[in-house]
Amino acid sequence: MNKTELIEHIAKNADISKAAATRALEATIGAVKTTLRKGGTVSLVGFGTFAVGKRAARTGRNPRTGATIKIKSAKVPKFRPGKALKDALN
């Protein structure tokens, strides 16, 4: 499912226009991004939790030349599914 299909699904199930569904989805995604950027977490009970993880700096290897390179530390988004989501899949 891509973003357009998700918007159509939201509009149909919530009985709202596609424009309203688009605004709702964009607002939700924006809120998650803003919270994660500030270092917080977003917990949706029954669905899961979005959080920020830290990846340490490390050395890697350029596959083309074989030269070693330094890879910077980075913040990465992480998602931990909730129990209800796990149960829905099994």
Side-chain angles (χ1 to χ4, degrees), residues 1 5-18 21:
M1 176 179 276
E5 293 168 339
L6 181 58
I7 289 169
E8 289 174 6
H9 183 80
I10 292 169
K12 180 181 171 188
N13 288 347
D15 196 28
I16 58 176
S17 68
K18 286 184 184 178

Side-chain angles (χ1 to χ4, degrees), residues 5-73:
E5 293 168 339
L6 181 58
I7 289 169
E8 289 174 6
H9 183 80
I10 292 169
K12 180 181 171 188
N13 288 347
D15 196 28
I16 58 176
S17 68
K18 286 184 184 178
T22 301
R23 287 192 304 272
L25 182 59
E26 292 293 336
T28 303
I29 292 170
V32 171
K33 283 182 186 178
T34 302
T35 302
L36 293 179
R37 195 174 297 130
K38 292 178 181 176
T41 62
V42 178
S43 296
L44 302 172
V45 176
F47 183 68
T49 302
F50 295 93
V52 177
K54 292 185 173 79
R55 186 179 296 151
R58 62 195 191 280
T59 57
R61 192 167 294 278
N62 183 334
R64 187 176 297 168
T65 63
T68 59
I69 57 174
K70 292 180 182 177
I71 301 172
K72 295 180 186 178
S73 62

